[in-house]
Amino acid sequence: MSFPLLTATAALPALGAIAVAAVPAARRTAAKYLALAVSLGTLVLAVLIAVRFEPGGDRFQLTESHAWIAEFGVRYELGVDGIGVAMLLLTAVLIPFVILAGWHDADPLETKSTRWRPTQGFFALILAVEAMVVLSFEATDVFLFYILFEAMLIPMYFLIGGFGDRAHSGTEENAAAQRSYAAVKFLLYNLIGGLIMLAAVIGLYVVEGTFSLTEIAANDTGMATNTERLLFLGFMFAFAIKAPLWPLHTWLPNAMGESTTPVAVLITAVVDKVGTFAMLRFCLGLFPNASEWATPVILVLALVSIVYGALVAVGQRDIKRLVAYASISHFGFIVMGIFVMTVQGQSGATLYMVNHGISTAAMMLVAGFLISRRGSRLIADYGGVQKVAPVLAGTFLIGGLATLSLPGLAPFVSEFLVLVGTFKVYPVIGIIATSGIVLAALYVLVLYQRTMTGPVKAQVEGMPDLKARELLVVAPLIALLIFLGVFPKPLTDIVNPAVTHTVSDAEKKDYDAVEAAK
């Protein structure tokens, strides 16, 4: 029996979360190093998966299948395709940087109300989220995926509501109220989507008699048109909230704004990717005809997300909320790439998920280091930073240039592929979508100009430059942005066969449906 590599990759952070939570309260530093070691071990396992994966082999590889709830046809069934491998690598790469960046974010905080911040709980929750996200990228049983999709909301709720941003302009009571509001809004939005998805999951079982993706693909009996469309809408609604897609996006700016910076990165660079990943694996994989039927509406919503997110980002006064609205715009590009139903579009969308995760992590983490020095998220409170902290300003600029998809940096490749795939079939939408690129240049460069250039403000004088730990966080992310910008082939070689299979399978099922209707 081969070693269960996929299970081990999820089990290690899950067990690590329990171990970190059990560390005595006085041993906070030991808990931090244990969490970091677990995340690095998970990264090693993810790299092993990528090494063992054969892009030209079976669609799902390194598979595991065990009976779980036999009475209801639920199995513990895992497998990865090229898209899943890419998302596993993204998650495993980012979590160590999230932990390093948040090294002091959960240290005890002495205030007038003396609120205790459990360090062990903070890092244990991050590892718990990693375990669930990793397993969701591996699950090929729909019910297993649904459980993970919902369960990851619990640790995220506590990370948002229990460990908020210290750079809050109001009183501590007001800050706590804002955190609570953001956490509850995040939970309610996603729970509502999850409940609707649960009805669709049950409906899928009634129609197919199984939750297994491989068995459903093998049966290939087809569904009644209206049934397929209803089930698709149930799945898509939940994924559009998680992604997030306009107009279901409003929880994201609150959640990112009130979270600590590492948790904000965890939300937009890792957890939200489960939504767009699921659109590819489940919406297109299970309901290809309904996906094509809904394409015009979804493309319009994606286009609105692109333009709306960028326009609102231009007018933001809060640095973290600016990055949040920029992410909404970028998720619009990802969803557009998925639903144009071309190989270039979907390859670009998958690369966009990875590259957006890296670029947003780089920009947001440097912004977090900046905010922690000044104690304010307001853009107007900064000026002339590049004269007192040139390394911080330089890394912030590179992260911003990656966000606006500068040629030579990783996001350019993915955005270019998405637009090429869109222009092939929907040229008008492609033309309008390019306005998002222009607006991205505007909000990034204006942000840099207002915070980093000009006279040095009195509150910024004496601001220290990046320290060794902070450089250890930022430098590898920038290196990845440059490497994947000039040489994306290692990633495209993994992703392209899976994307080609998804597109060809959808076209085949659409052709079969047309023939059956004759």
Side-chain angles (χ1 to χ4, degrees), residues 159-171:
L159 283 170
I160 297 169
F163 301 91
D165 189 0
R166 296 181 181 182
H168 203 285
S169 58
T171 64

Side-chain angles (χ1 to χ4, degrees), residues 41 74-75 209 223 256 261 309 370 379 439 447 456 485:
V74 180
R75 299 184 64 81
M223 300 182 195
M256 288 184 65
T261 301
L370 175 70
I379 297 172
L439 292 171
L447 172 64
V456 178

Side-chain angles (χ1 to χ4, degrees), residues 21-360:
V23 173
R27 304 291 299 277
R28 293 192 304 272
T29 303
K32 296 175 183 179
Y33 279 108
L34 177 57
L36 181 60
V38 169
S39 67
L40 291 173
T42 306
L43 174 58
V44 171
L45 292 176
V47 171
L48 286 175
I49 290 173
V51 170
R52 291 187 57 184
F53 183 80
E54 298 177 5
D58 295 336
R59 182 182 183 186
F60 292 113
Q61 300 179 33
L62 306 174
T63 55
E64 304 172 31
S65 183
H66 308 281
W68 184 19
I69 311 175
E71 293 81 0
F72 298 100
V74 180
R75 299 184 64 81
Y76 176 80
E77 194 169 271
L78 308 180
V80 287
D81 59 3
I83 300 170
V85 170
M87 301 315 298
L88 281 178
L89 287 172
L90 172 68
T91 303
V93 165
L94 290 183
I95 295 299
F97 299 124
V98 167
I99 290 173
L100 273 174
W103 202 252
H104 298 298
D105 284 1
D107 288 347
L109 181 64
E110 294 298 330
T111 65
K112 293 180 181 179
S113 62
T114 315
R115 183 169 60 88
W116 180 59
R117 300 168 63 90
T119 304
Q120 288 83 342
F122 179 75
F123 292 103
L125 288 170
I126 290 174
L127 291 177
V129 172
E130 180 181 24
M132 294 176 191
V133 171
V134 164
L135 205 55
S136 68
F137 291 141
E138 299 171 344
T140 56
D141 182 278
V142 178
F143 193 80
L144 173 62
F145 172 84
Y146 170 77
I147 291 175
L148 297 164
F149 187 81
E150 291 294 278
M152 67 180 70
L153 301 179
I154 299 170
M156 285 306 307
Y157 169 80
F158 288 108
L159 283 170
I160 297 169
F163 301 91
D165 189 0
R166 296 181 181 182
H168 203 285
S169 58
T171 64
E172 185 180 349
E173 289 76 13
N174 178 256
Q178 291 295 324
R179 284 195 302 272
S180 177
Y181 172 78
V184 170
K185 189 173 184 179
F186 163 82
L187 188 64
L188 286 179
Y189 266 65
N190 284 277
L191 277 179
I192 291 171
L195 288 173
I196 293 175
M197 180 182 170
L198 177 60
V201 169
I202 295 171
L204 178 68
Y205 181 77
V206 171
V207 173
E208 297 288 351
T210 180
F211 291 114
S212 171
L213 282 178
T214 53
E215 291 182 10
I216 292 173
N219 292 340
D220 198 23
T221 54
M223 300 182 195
T225 300
N226 290 336
T227 300
E228 182 179 352
R229 290 176 179 178
L230 285 173
L231 295 179
F232 165 83
L233 290 174
F235 277 77
M236 184 63 194
F237 183 76
F239 301 154
I241 292 175
K242 183 84 81 178
L245 183 67
W246 185 92
L248 305 172
H249 67 284
T250 59
W251 63 268
L252 182 65
N254 296 101
M256 288 184 65
E258 300 305 324
S259 301
T260 63
T261 301
V263 172
V265 170
L266 190 65
I267 293 170
T268 190
V270 177
V271 174
D272 287 354
K273 298 302 187 299
V274 176
T276 47
F277 166 83
M279 291 178 191
L280 277 166
R281 173 163 288 186
F282 297 102
C283 287
L284 270 63
L286 294 173
F287 318 111
N289 300 322
S291 297
E292 187 170 351
W293 162 75
T295 287
V297 173
I298 294 174
L299 288 180
V300 170
L301 296 180
L303 192 59
V304 173
S305 292
I306 292 169
V307 178
Y308 167 82
L311 282 172
V312 178
V314 171
Q316 285 301 303
R317 296 180 295 173
D318 183 308
I319 297 174
K320 291 175 72 175
R321 290 179 72 89
L322 184 151
V323 179
Y325 279 106
S327 290
I328 291 169
S329 180
H330 293 146
F331 274 104
F333 276 107
I334 295 171
V335 175
M336 185 174 74
I338 291 171
F339 280 91
V340 293
M341 304 293 184
T342 62
V343 172
Q344 294 96 331
Q346 292 186 6
S347 292
T350 305
L351 292 178
Y352 214 132
M353 286 189 266
V354 176
N355 295 333
H356 171 264
I358 299 170
S359 62
T360 299

